[in-house]
Amino acid sequence: MSLTYALVHEWLTPLATGGSELVVEEILKHIQADVYALIDFESTNPHSYLYQRSIGTTFLQQFPFARSGVQKYLPLLPLAIEQLDVRAYDVILSSSHAVAKGVLTSPHQLHLCYCHTPMRYAWDLTFDYLNSSLAGKGLQGLLTRYLLHRLRQWDVISANRVDYFIANSKHTARRIWRCYRRSAKVIYPPVQVERFQFQPQKQDFYLTVCRLVSYKKISLIVQAFNRLGYPLVVIGTGADLKAIQQMAKPNVQVLGWQPSEVVEQYMQDAKAFVYASCEDFGIALVEAQACGTPVIAYGAGGALETVRDLRQYPDSATGLLFATQTEQALVEAIEAFEESREKFNPEMARLNASGFNPKQFQEHYWGFVEHCWQQFQSGYIR
């Protein structure tokens, strides 16, 4: 008997192009699955791999301004995901960084969740969200705190609808255990290593690429380079774009959004790729290494699993990790990199990145799906 699959993701829009969307795309390359999401604006996008595909959505699809960010309807997301009817399928594959794992299933269905992160604004980023938003102030702030409290309750309850969790890193697996008290199989996400050209000859500038939002700590990077005077290129857009542009001194170029081919060229040419955020995995760190570009990153989260620090791996280093999220720690790491540049072999960076290629993801992901189905058929769920 051939199994039927449904794949449930949070939202599908031209603005959603992060690591979770790359996982969805890779899964759909190798399986016939019907796709569901809170909203979908990709099936009408001629440039999308989902163009003209039939995708099940929720009532949020018709809400004003949903296309630009359904997160503005945060209190309604749990209710909305529970309206998706996936009873007709044998296996539910959810790709979740917010509420996708909360889809309702039946006892005869197997539900595997690839968890990119437990819901950040309900857990790790709660106080960042409250302190940086008007919604966190005054009487409105009390209501916001109550809504986040209820969201955390729903998040834990909905975790019990998942039969097996997959985490995108050991760091995420620890967070899943802390939030839900559930174990998770670690399967690293697919990185399109072959898309990036290996370039051993570098130019004299540093690079950072990410969304320009507060928790990415771009201001910390810019302040460090303002102080040092070394050339830095910043690529990305987001709520903090204007503030970053105003902060930057002449040695810092803030380019805003750039097409993928431009980003790839800068990654190939950069002296080093700089990152100051704590990422659950951090695909950009691996993409930089695929170009033979060493990484200077905050030593937490996924970076500990993807970057080989010079002090620990002197013969196969792919970067330097700094211990605290401070300007001073980053300045010291950059100065240490300047003094030890000759110790980094670009080929080691490329070799390290190759361990995260799509083939590795497919083998581990589908092997685990098959294993879980066999366990499910035998009546055993761990």
Side-chain angles (χ1 to χ4, degrees):
M1 180 188 75
S2 59
L3 300 177
T4 55
Y5 295 87
L7 193 154
V8 183
H9 189 55
E10 259 87 25
W11 45 79
L12 299 166
T13 76
L15 297 176
T17 56
S20 62
E21 284 73 33
L22 294 176
V23 167
V24 168
E25 182 175 2
E26 193 64 33
I27 290 173
L28 292 175
K29 285 180 182 177
H30 298 271
I31 192 170
Q32 292 294 322
D34 290 338
V35 181
Y36 293 83
L38 293 169
I39 59 170
D40 159 47
F41 293 96
E42 280 291 86
S43 62
T44 56
N45 175 12
H47 304 291
S48 173
Y49 69 98
L50 295 171
Y51 183 53
Q52 295 186 331
R53 188 163 188 151
S54 178
I55 296 175
T57 59
T58 71
F59 59 81
L60 294 175
Q61 181 76 20
Q62 307 304 322
F63 275 37
F65 311 113
R67 183 189 182 102
S68 62
V70 76
Q71 300 96 314
K72 60 176 65 72
Y73 300 115
L74 182 61
L76 296 177
L77 300 192
L79 173 64
I81 203 72
E82 291 177 348
Q83 307 313 305
L84 293 175
D85 186 356
V86 294
R87 292 174 297 171
Y89 305 93
D90 299 308
V91 180
I92 311 302
L93 305 172
S94 60
S95 164
S96 184
H97 53 78
V99 298
K101 73 178 190 326
V103 65
L104 299 180
T105 59
S106 302
H108 70 274
Q109 295 174 298
L110 173 65
H111 181 184
L112 291 94
C113 173
Y114 191 100
C115 184
H116 308 277
T117 175
M119 200 183 311
R120 278 189 171 274
Y121 27 79
W123 299 98
D124 297 58
L125 297 182
T126 291
F127 295 107
D128 296 80
Y129 175 68
L130 291 170
N131 294 334
S132 64
S133 170
L134 291 175
K137 308 296 189 299
L139 185 61
Q140 186 179 3
L142 291 176
L143 177 60
T144 302
R145 284 170 169 80
Y146 175 73
L147 290 174
L148 289 173
H149 169 69
R150 293 301 302 269
L151 191 59
R152 281 188 289 272
Q153 290 179 324
W154 178 89
D155 197 38
V156 173
I157 291 169
S158 64
N160 289 304
R161 300 172 189 169
V162 176
D163 295 313
Y164 294 91
F165 271 103
I166 302 170
N168 63 356
S169 67
K170 296 175 185 175
H171 173 71
T172 299
R174 288 191 292 269
R175 294 183 62 229
I176 290 170
W177 176 257
R178 187 191 65 198
C179 296
Y180 310 141
R181 286 299 186 259
R182 297 287 304 276
S183 59
K185 170 76 171 178
V186 176
I187 300 176
Y188 293 119
V191 182
Q192 303 298 326
V193 175
E194 297 304 320
R195 197 185 93 204
F196 294 86
Q197 183 177 335
F198 176 65
Q199 173 59 271
Q201 303 302 319
K202 302 301 180 182
Q203 297 185 21
D204 188 27
F205 69 89
Y206 292 84
L207 173 70
T208 187
V209 181
C210 71
R211 287 184 295 119
L212 304 186
V213 293
S214 60
Y215 83 90
K216 295 289 188 178
K217 304 295 182 182
I218 294 298
S219 60
L220 186 155
I221 297 175
V222 172
Q223 287 166 352
F225 278 87
N226 282 346
R227 179 172 156 187
L228 288 166
Y230 295 136
L232 169 71
V233 174
V234 179
I235 297 179
T237 189
D240 291 353
L241 176 59
K242 288 186 178 179
I244 296 299
Q245 289 173 329
Q246 292 171 355
M247 177 190 304
K249 289 187 175 180
N251 61 299
V252 178
Q253 289 184 276
V254 184
L255 302 184
W257 178 89
Q258 295 295 319
S260 58
E261 57 270 20
V262 174
V263 175
E264 290 165 21
Q265 188 63 56
Y266 273 101
M267 278 194 170
Q268 292 163 23
D269 293 338
K271 179 192 299 187
F273 187 85
V274 185
Y275 217 76
S277 173
C278 177
E279 293 292 333
D280 296 295
F281 176 74
I283 282 181
L285 305 184
V286 180
E287 291 174 338
Q289 292 175 74
C291 300
T293 301
V295 173
I296 302 171
Y298 173 45
L304 293 172
E305 302 169 53
T306 61
V307 180
R308 299 174 69 86
D309 185 80
L310 177 63
R311 287 153 293 197
Q312 188 175 358
Y313 302 96
D315 298 325
S316 59
T318 66
L320 278 172
L321 301 175
F322 55 97
T324 58
Q325 255 177 333
T326 62
E327 178 186 332
Q328 181 60 32
L330 177 54
V331 166
E332 291 174 0
I334 295 166
E335 290 177 332
F337 175 79
E338 286 286 333
E339 294 173 0
S340 57
R341 279 187 62 192
E342 300 305 318
K343 297 180 181 179
F344 292 96
N345 183 346
E347 293 181 358
M348 288 297 176
R350 179 73 177 192
L351 180 63
N352 187 52
S354 66
F356 301 95
N357 64 67
K359 183 178 179 182
Q360 293 290 323
F361 170 79
Q362 289 295 340
E363 289 179 356
H364 290 98
Y365 183 82
W366 290 116
F368 189 64
V369 171
E370 291 175 359
H371 166 76
C372 292
W373 178 252
Q374 292 172 0
Q375 296 282 75
F376 184 73
Q377 286 292 90
S378 69
Y380 172 75
I381 295 289
R382 65 177 175 89

